[in-house]
Amino acid sequence: MFDWLFTDDWFPKFDWRWDFAWEILPRLLEATLNTLIAAAAGYLIALVVGLFLALAQRTNYRTVTFAVREFVEFVRSTPLLLQIFFIFYVGPQFGVTLSPWVSGMIAIGLHYSCYLSEVYRGGIESVPKGQWEAATALNMSTLQTYKRVVIPQAIPPAIAGLGNYLVGIFKDTPMLSVIGVAELIHTANAIGSETWRYLEAYTMVGIIFLVLSLPAAGLIRAFEGFVRRKLGM
Amino acid sequence: MEDMSAFPLEITGEDVPMVSFRKVRKAYGSLVVLDNLDLDVAAGEMVTIIGPSGSGKTTVLRMLMTLEQINGGVIYVDGQPLTHMSKGGTLVPANQRHLRKRRADIGMCFQHFNLFPHMTALENCMEGPVQVLGLPKAEARARSEELLELVGMIDKKDQHPSRLSGGQQQRVAIARALAMRPKVMLFDEVTSALDPEVIGEVTNVIRKLVSEHNLTMLMVTHQMGFARDISDRVCFFYDGKIEEQGKPADLFGNPKRERTQQFLSAVKEAV
């Protein structure tokens, strides 16, 4: 009953051409590099800004806490794609003209910083109250307490969560294709419209994403173990 | 608003108490924990606070360490106001800067040690001297090693707290507090979380401090025998007030108040 699977008129639809795949590989690898750079840069922004957003929500200034809280909720409740469009297309109307790359990094970095701030917040809240009290008893300032006592202890339990978002940001970089950042999907689209062949490019893009994402979880776990050992915990 | 004119801007004269609680009040909402507490501790004196749980004894230490805000009265340390600062000839609640300045005189050890888990025993001791006092690392290290020697923990100086027993952690915590060279040391139920067989190693360190160092100490404990041995004075707290205080021999041997008698006989039965 599955004879139709092996008939010629169906099978040729999987017309995979190795020579073509080989030919486009360099372009895709170059785009892979761009994707990795975009993900890394966006993640770096998110790591730093996210920490500040988390700390800002813990200050004694009600207005700051409220404003940051609302900002985080707003960003988390609206699509990343909209934020990318907004910065790239609406920005110029307010005199802020940015290149696709810069707008993309800002959009994706800010978007993920809001998610990361929640991870940091959880990590910070997991540090026992006694640690704060010990720091006060040693007469440490608030800044010293965060820097020397609280944040070093907040990081290890947050690494798993932070790592998940690294994979997340990597898989969200294709969104930047809509404003013309030459990452993987953008390049695959370009190849498709030039040659009318989509199968090889999209398949290869999928494999590239898979190959890079799969080991990430293991690496993150290993990194967490490394940090914990390093801190003697 | 409390009338602050009843409180001096500083305590002067001879025999200025190292610690002075003046009409101190602490309440959580409508629950009054401490009411009009007056307590002076002389320089070099060892005062132990005993009493049933919920009597406010730990709160006394926590207020002195500025871990709890007070709701009335003033606390003085070495004659200077701690919880307040003088501004325009009157006392106003202290700001962070004032607290940081005055807090330097006080050190505290906690029931659950609260060592920093990501630092070794030595690093725990060096943290305050280096970061807060700004000592050069070599000097902070020498000072810390000397204190770890004092508490008998020099062999374990490179261990992280997770590798140490409760008694060992508490001894490191004592060294860490002493490294800041406080004038007043606070011990908040430092043996309560320990296994019975290691209580002695911590109490022996405190005994050594009492006999060899001229520190002012305030201690909350449930170890009545220990309190009796080393205290200059024992305060029995009941219901947010000092019900009775006196020399340990008098308070333990011949308690005057009925509640003190009840508490002490209840404790004796439990042992």
Side-chain angles (χ1 to χ4, degrees), chain B residues 141-159:
Chain B
R141 175 183 292 266
R143 181 189 282 195
S144 301
E145 284 179 344
E146 193 181 304
L147 288 164
L148 286 171
E149 182 84 59
L150 175 86
V151 300
M153 286 298 295
I154 194 72
D155 306 341
K156 307 262 183 191
K157 69 182 165 84
D158 295 322
Q159 299 284 351

Side-chain angles (χ1 to χ4, degrees), chain B residues 198-246:
Chain B
V198 298
I199 288 177
E201 61 187 61
V202 172
T203 52
N204 282 340
V205 168
I206 299 175
R207 273 177 220 273
K208 205 148 103 185
L209 290 179
V210 171
S211 60
E212 294 172 16
H213 295 260
N214 194 31
L215 268 168
T216 307
M217 295 192 237
L218 264 141
M219 177 171 82
V220 171
T221 189
H222 294 290
Q223 305 281 117
M224 295 304 153
F226 179 52
R228 183 176 190 153
D229 280 359
I230 69 157
S231 308
D232 297 315
R233 179 161 42 123
V234 179
C235 299
F236 173 66
F237 268 70
Y238 190 91
D239 207 13
K241 289 187 204 70
I242 300 178
E243 181 80 11
E244 184 172 352
Q245 58 177 318

Side-chain angles (χ1 to χ4, degrees), chain A residues 150-196:
Chain A
V150 174
I151 291 175
Q153 292 184 64
I155 296 294
I159 286 175
L162 295 176
N164 284 341
Y165 285 116
L166 175 60
V167 179
I169 210 167
F170 176 59
K171 288 192 297 177
D172 268 356
T173 47
M175 299 236 191
L176 301 180
S177 66
V178 296
I179 53 169
V181 173
E183 50 66 64
L184 273 168
I185 297 289
H186 190 266
T187 306
N189 282 341
I191 291 169
S193 54
E194 287 161 19
T195 62
W196 292 100

